[in-house]
Amino acid sequence: LAYNNVTTGYSDNTFKPYQQISRQHFAVFLARTLDSSFRDNGTNRVVTGGFKLNTRKTYVYNYPYDEYTETFKYTGSKSGIDKWTGRDNYGGLTYYSYSEDGDGYVFGWQDGDISSTVPYPLKLNTKWTDNFYEYPIDYVVTSMNKTVTTPAGTFKNAIEVKSDIDTLEYYVQGVGLVLMLDTSVQPAERIQELQKVY
């Protein structure tokens, strides 16, 4: 129901499936089911988590621009930081780390630099700055409900993040980053895309 914008949950971003609902709530659910114009268009959506990779799954990312793929596998956790190993199709290894708490999502290299952050709570027009290799990059959330298709499938309610270095990133709750585009060229080129999750 949430995935299809029939329900948006409570104001504290929780769902209470065992709570009784009123006739009014049921009427809203039914209207949203029958007519999509009644559904929330994402302008009021607030995200407080869910971008970190699932440690029970393996992720395969494709990098069309550089013509290689990379398979991410969870290798353990230390001090609340998940450790992942990426193996590319040439046999090279890269060691990544992910963490997520109430303040946001952080991605980087193990024992190295942070690559990107996403602050929580996240909503339309949220802005922040990352200092990637001492170079500040500004980000803004430009949509909370994009539909994105990659080789891994079609994802609804993707969150679109635009940077001032001409990239668009798409995050999906429960999945993480699914697509990154280079918008400095037209048509935009895919830099990174989720190819498969298993």
Side-chain angles (χ1 to χ4, degrees), residues 3 45 47 49-61 72 84 98 100 105 107 120 148 150-159 170-179 192-198:
Y3 180 77
R45 184 174 172 210
V47 172
F51 290 164
K52 190 173 74 162
L53 300 182
N54 184 333
T55 58
R56 288 182 242 132
K57 298 195 178 279
T58 297
Y59 295 77
V60 180
Y61 282 96
F72 287 59
W84 290 74
Y98 292 83
E100 184 175 57
Y105 160 83
F107 166 74
Y120 296 146
V148 177
T150 75
T154 298
F155 301 93
K156 293 183 179 182
N157 297 319
I159 297 162
Y170 296 91
Y171 293 89
V172 174
Q173 281 185 285
V175 182
L177 179 68
V178 296
L179 179 65
Q192 180 179 0
E193 63 185 0
L194 187 62
Q195 185 172 349
K196 137 170 98 164
V197 179
Y198 60 93

Side-chain angles (χ1 to χ4, degrees), residues 136-156:
I137 301 173
D138 294 322
Y139 295 91
V140 61
V141 175
T142 52
S143 177
M144 295 295 288
N145 66 338
K146 288 288 187 177
T147 298
V148 177
T149 300
T150 75
T154 298
F155 301 93
K156 293 183 179 182

Side-chain angles (χ1 to χ4, degrees), residues 96 106-109 112-117 130-133 137 139:
Y96 299 104
V106 178
F107 166 74
W109 288 271
D113 294 318
I114 291 172
S115 172
S116 60
T117 62
D130 272 346
N131 288 310
F132 185 56
Y133 291 117
I137 301 173
Y139 295 91

Side-chain angles (χ1 to χ4, degrees), residues 52-82:
K52 190 173 74 162
L53 300 182
N54 184 333
T55 58
R56 288 182 242 132
K57 298 195 178 279
T58 297
Y59 295 77
V60 180
Y61 282 96
N62 184 32
Y63 301 85
Y65 185 77
D66 294 321
E67 299 181 350
Y68 76 97
T69 61
E70 189 171 29
T71 302
F72 287 59
K73 291 190 176 189
Y74 175 70
T75 56
S77 184
K78 182 178 179 184
S79 302
I81 298 173
D82 291 343

Side-chain angles (χ1 to χ4, degrees), residues 18-35:
Y18 299 107
Q19 189 95 336
Q20 289 189 6
I21 62 171
S22 68
R23 180 180 293 169
Q24 176 185 4
H25 290 125
F26 182 77
V28 170
F29 291 167
L30 189 58
R32 290 176 181 165
T33 301
L34 297 173
D35 185 345

